Amino acid sequence: MITKPRDREVVCHASAWEMGGEGDVRIKMCTKVTGEDFFTVHHELGHVYYYLMYEGMPPLFQQGANDGFHEGIGDTLMLSVTPKYLVDIGLFDKVPNTAKSDVNFLMKRALDKVAFFPFGKLIDQWRWEVFDGRIKPEQYNAAWWKLRTEYQGIAAPVERTEADFDPGAKYHIPNNTPYLRYFLATVLQFQFHRALCQTAGHEGSLNSCSIAGSKAAGKKLADMMRMGSTRPWPEALQAIAGEDKMDATAMLDYFAPLAKFLDEQNAGQICGW
Ligand SMILES: [Zn+2]
């Protein structure tokens, strides 16, 4: 299912599926032609190619090295969707080249990737505390908003009570999908990107790198995916990144020009809430 059916209600939340081997892989998505869905389809295709790569493994090992890996593959490729890449595939007329264009590009990405961190953390924090009883049913909504304020610095625009169940509006909570995977994937995708850009022989800033067309980078990524879960995840990380620990410095490298800009803009300001 690639577009929303006109004749019935469906779950539009995008997902990727392997249907039991022999290359039968599918995506279910109510795709619209937007920048956001362009990203989502890369994300889902990351799952699909992971399925295809480890299909030769025994069924027990047909999984990502850890679930952060599975969520991070498509996102890694999306980091190669640079303005120049968009020109190369005919979606942009020319690469914008003003003093501000790099910072604008990075700011948009940071609002997605960096601003996601506190949210990515608190979802499972809420779930785990519900599961172990620290959050009682009569505190479900209040505990949710406490975390939202503590980590994200936001509050509900109107008064909320325990008659409301705001966590239920996040798909993964009623669907019972663990969420820390997305937090891990956010760190890993920049680490993968930095390593693959080195393999591809990229020179210049990390945010201007696209591995599109690099056979060497593609092989490295595919070889790692082929391992499935046969080896502990640090070994899979070693295979692609040459290091066996998660490392957020790749993310700092990627956003360095933006961080410099924001440091200047925010000089003298007090951060926090
Ligand atoms: Zn996913």
Side-chain angles (χ1 to χ4, degrees):
M1 191 185 88
I2 299 296
T3 53
K4 185 176 183 177
R6 273 177 288 188
D7 57 346
R8 61 190 186 277
E9 289 288 318
V10 296
V11 176
C12 270
H13 189 88
S15 54
W17 302 81
E18 51 92 16
M19 308 297 287
E22 293 171 8
D24 189 357
V25 287
R26 307 188 192 185
I27 286 173
K28 180 181 73 61
M29 183 172 165
C30 300
T31 321
K32 297 193 196 80
V33 183
T34 62
E36 190 174 339
D37 275 6
F38 186 62
F39 166 75
T40 302
V41 82
H42 278 75
H43 178 91
E44 301 306 335
L45 282 167
H47 289 304
V48 155
Y49 275 89
Y50 218 151
Y51 298 146
L52 291 172
M53 289 297 156
Y54 59 50
E55 203 176 75
M57 289 291 164
L60 269 178
F61 298 122
Q62 291 183 18
Q63 298 176 51
N66 71 31
D67 51 12
F69 279 59
H70 229 303
E71 296 302 338
I73 299 296
D75 291 24
T76 300
L77 295 180
M78 193 63 197
L79 292 178
S80 282
V81 179
T82 57
K84 180 180 176 304
Y85 172 79
L86 289 170
V87 171
D88 290 346
I89 63 170
L91 286 178
F92 254 25
D93 292 336
K94 62 180 175 56
V95 177
N97 189 18
T98 65
K100 278 191 178 166
S101 54
D102 251 15
V103 165
N104 286 344
F105 171 77
L106 285 175
M107 186 66 186
K108 189 167 189 311
R109 256 194 192 164
L111 285 171
D112 178 20
K113 304 292 180 183
V114 182
F116 174 76
F117 267 133
F119 185 70
K121 178 180 190 292
L122 74 84
I123 300 286
D124 267 359
Q125 189 160 345
W126 185 87
R127 291 174 74 245
W128 293 345
E129 290 187 22
V130 165
F131 293 154
D132 74 12
R134 272 179 288 171
I135 297 175
K136 306 268 183 294
E138 59 273 19
Q139 312 162 328
Y140 280 170
N141 215 43
W144 171 259
W145 281 108
K146 188 168 175 292
L147 289 168
R148 297 270 272 160
T149 302
E150 185 180 348
Y151 288 107
Q152 292 186 280
I154 60 173
V158 294
E159 194 190 340
R160 310 307 287 162
T161 70
E162 291 305 318
D164 306 305
F165 183 61
D166 296 317
K170 176 61 189 159
Y171 174 85
H172 300 71
I173 286 180
N175 186 252
N176 204 28
T177 303
Y179 210 73
L180 205 64
R181 56 186 57 179
Y182 301 102
F183 183 93
L184 300 176
T186 303
V187 176
L188 287 168
Q189 63 193 254
F190 289 94
Q191 213 172 341
F192 293 164
H193 182 64
R194 183 168 66 182
L196 293 171
C197 288
Q198 275 165 10
T199 304
H202 173 77
E203 284 169 17
S205 66
L206 194 52
N207 65 70
S208 68
C209 165
S210 178
I211 62 164
S214 167
K215 294 237 182 315
K219 181 179 184 311
K220 203 167 192 184
L221 184 60
D223 286 348
M224 188 279 287
M225 290 197 283
R226 266 186 211 104
M227 295 165 76
S229 62
T230 50
R231 306 300 309 161
W233 69 262
E235 289 183 35
L237 183 56
Q238 182 84 42
I240 189 168
E243 52 199 3
D244 64 2
K245 290 192 174 53
M246 284 180 60
D247 178 4
T249 62
M251 197 170 185
L252 293 175
D253 288 354
Y254 186 91
F255 287 112
L258 175 65
K260 181 171 174 291
F261 172 82
L262 289 177
D263 281 346
E264 289 161 11
Q265 298 299 311
N266 292 330
Q269 302 286 335
I270 296 165
C271 297
W273 49 87

